[in-house]
Amino acid sequence: MRINNEKISSLQFLMILCGSVIGVSILDFPRIAMEQVGSDSWVLILIGTIIMYLVGICIFKVLDKYKGHNFFQILSAILSKPLSVVICILFSLHLMFMSAIQIRIFTEVTREYLLYNTPSEVIIISMLLTIIFLIRNGIEVIGRMAQITFPVVSVLILILLIPVIKEMDITNILPVLHTPIETIVKAIPSAIFVFAGIEVTFLLSYFVVDKDRLRKKYNISLLIIGCIYLIILVFTISRFGIMEGKRIIWPVLELFKTIDIPGSFIENVEILMISIWIVAVFISASVWYYGAMRLIRLIWHEKGAKYLLVPIGAVIYILANYFRNVSEIMDILNKYLMTVGMFFVIGLPVILIIGDSIKKRGGSSHD
């Protein structure tokens, strides 16, 4: 049987999207949310989901009109070819940076909980080589992996949370809706960053076979992501409270560290959680790595460009090694997502829908 490794199903699209987003900030989002809006952190999840739904409307209006076109062709049709080249290069760099951040955070967590004395460089290179081995076979392999692993990861997380229920203090999430409106408005960027990774929708949609189901799968993925984040958030706040939760760097890992499974047939549950999280990181970092390579291929109109894998890996390695510690990573990541990240997650879809509208009024055709 001939395998077409450049096609994925709409279900695989959903799984990749969920894996890409959840792998980014699931470990530290509860702390960031608690720092900004306290017990109303759940409001940020709700706001982020609604904003991403509206962004999805923009994305799929463009995709419906330019069905069958790749991302570069869509940009060229709406914004002109020179501008599309610039945006593709910047988008590719953005994906490399996000992949590097993810791999570096993975390295820091791994060194803190698993491989205490292993040099960061060894962990980063091992991760990069594993990703290269995966994505060299195309998006179809990534889709199959996400389809197998994401449901398992999600179910395991929910099962592992069950023992925490008896230790929850639900009063920690009270009072509800006491945060001033202006404070919630200032925290909206954090709500959007929960969904960082969703910008790969433009790239992934081109590979989906059953495109008529894309919009529905996108909305379902938002619902799944929102529910998982909400559950994790409620459990974390209920277990630690606001004051203690704000002081913990990785509150989700600490949450699993407190789990005591009856019968003690499993020890060190946080290690099991890290193992599960590694799978999520692997999916998201792989998708961004592949997306960066794909964008460069679109600019060069190259069909086979596996030789790009190693140079892109070298760039990601340099970026991942740039940071000195976790504090610096978080500081730079927040500033980056406030500016560049915001452009690719929200700004670009809005620009494309406005640009297409202006072009339509001008009477020109994308053909």
Side-chain angles (χ1 to χ4, degrees):
M1 181 178 70
R2 182 181 176 184
I3 298 176
N4 184 355
N5 57 11
E6 290 292 332
K7 296 293 180 185
I8 57 175
S9 68
S10 58
L11 179 61
Q12 290 171 335
F13 164 80
L14 184 153
M15 296 298 173
I16 292 176
L17 214 54
C18 290
S20 300
V21 174
I22 289 177
V24 182
S25 55
I26 192 170
L27 294 187
D28 63 339
F29 172 72
R31 173 179 53 79
I32 295 172
M34 282 186 271
E35 287 174 349
Q36 299 198 1
V37 293
S39 59
D40 285 329
S41 300
W42 59 274
V43 176
L44 296 184
I45 302 290
L46 185 62
I47 293 174
T49 305
I50 293 172
I51 292 175
M52 286 303 111
Y53 175 76
L54 298 176
V55 170
I57 292 176
C58 296
I59 291 174
F60 288 102
K61 273 189 174 296
V62 174
L63 290 177
D64 287 343
K65 183 170 182 180
Y66 295 90
K67 193 171 288 185
H69 291 59
N70 62 42
F71 183 61
F72 183 74
Q73 291 168 333
I74 294 173
L75 287 175
S76 300
I78 298 175
L79 301 176
S80 80
K81 192 170 182 179
L83 196 53
S84 66
V85 171
V86 173
I87 290 177
C88 279
I89 292 173
L90 293 176
F91 200 178
S92 180
L93 292 172
H94 163 70
L95 295 176
M96 289 183 212
F97 180 81
M98 291 300 292
S99 185
I101 285 277
Q102 189 75 340
I103 291 172
R104 181 54 190 268
I105 291 176
F106 159 78
T107 302
E108 293 295 326
V109 173
T110 304
R111 290 194 69 198
E112 184 174 341
Y113 288 89
L114 295 176
L115 308 173
Y116 313 104
N117 300 316
T118 304
S120 299
E121 293 81 3
V122 174
I123 299 175
I124 293 172
I125 291 174
S126 301
M127 187 68 164
L128 285 172
L129 290 176
T130 311
I131 291 174
I132 289 174
F133 180 77
L134 176 73
I135 66 176
R136 63 190 282 273
N137 292 311
I139 189 69
E140 189 262 352
V141 180
I142 301 174
R144 285 179 180 271
M145 181 173 178
Q147 188 175 5
I148 294 171
T149 56
F150 182 74
V152 175
V153 167
S154 305
V155 171
L156 278 176
I157 289 175
L158 296 177
I159 291 175
L160 288 175
L161 283 173
I162 292 175
V164 182
I165 294 176
K166 64 182 181 183
E167 299 177 4
M168 290 173 63
D169 181 0
I170 205 68
T171 59
N172 286 335
I173 65 172
L174 301 175
V176 177
L177 297 177
H178 70 288
T179 308
I181 295 295
E182 56 269 25
T183 305
I184 291 180
V185 171
K186 288 180 182 176
I188 285 180
S190 298
I192 296 170
F193 301 153
V194 171
F195 293 87
I198 207 106
E199 62 268 31
V200 296
T201 299
F202 268 126
L203 301 177
L204 294 177
S205 61
Y206 177 72
F207 303 105
V208 178
V209 179
D210 42 347
K211 290 184 169 51
D212 293 337
R213 299 180 179 178
L214 264 178
R215 189 191 297 265
K216 182 179 178 182
K217 298 298 183 184
Y218 174 89
N219 292 334
I220 293 174
S221 68
L222 290 184
L223 191 61
I224 293 173
I225 294 165
C227 287
I228 290 178
Y229 271 112
L230 192 60
I231 291 170
I232 292 286
L233 191 65
V234 170
F235 270 78
T236 305
I237 295 177
S238 300
R239 178 63 182 82
F240 296 119
I242 301 298
M243 296 307 295
E244 186 178 352
K246 289 194 290 188
R247 291 196 292 266
I248 304 174
I249 297 178
W250 314 111
V252 176
L253 287 180
E254 292 301 320
L255 173 68
F256 283 91
K257 203 171 181 177
T258 64
I259 292 176
D260 181 22
I261 295 180
S264 301
F265 62 92
I266 297 179
E267 296 183 17
N268 299 326
V269 177
E270 76 275 12
I271 303 299
L272 181 58
M273 175 57 194
I274 292 174
S275 304
I276 295 170
W277 176 70
I278 286 173
V279 176
V281 171
F282 185 58
I283 293 173
S284 62
S286 298
V287 172
W288 289 334
Y289 198 135
Y290 181 83
M293 181 189 72
R294 182 74 191 180
L295 283 168
I296 295 175
R297 285 174 56 180
L298 290 177
I299 297 170
W300 285 352
H301 303 288
E302 288 283 343
K303 291 184 178 179
K306 292 181 179 176
Y307 55 84
L308 289 171
L309 285 172
V310 174
I312 290 175
V315 174
I316 293 175
Y317 174 80
I318 292 170
L319 290 172
N321 269 301
Y322 173 78
F323 309 102
R324 287 175 296 184
N325 50 50
V326 174
S327 176
E328 187 177 69
I329 294 171
M330 294 305 174
D331 185 46
I332 292 178
L333 180 61
N334 287 334
K335 291 176 181 174
Y336 177 83
L337 290 176
M338 286 277 190
T339 52
V340 181
M342 185 75 80
F343 171 77
F344 287 109
V345 175
I346 292 183
L348 188 56
V350 173
I351 289 172
L352 288 178
I353 196 71
I354 293 175
D356 187 60
S357 177
I358 293 173
K359 182 184 172 185
K360 187 178 179 181
R361 290 181 182 178
S364 56
S365 168
H366 67 273
D367 293 323

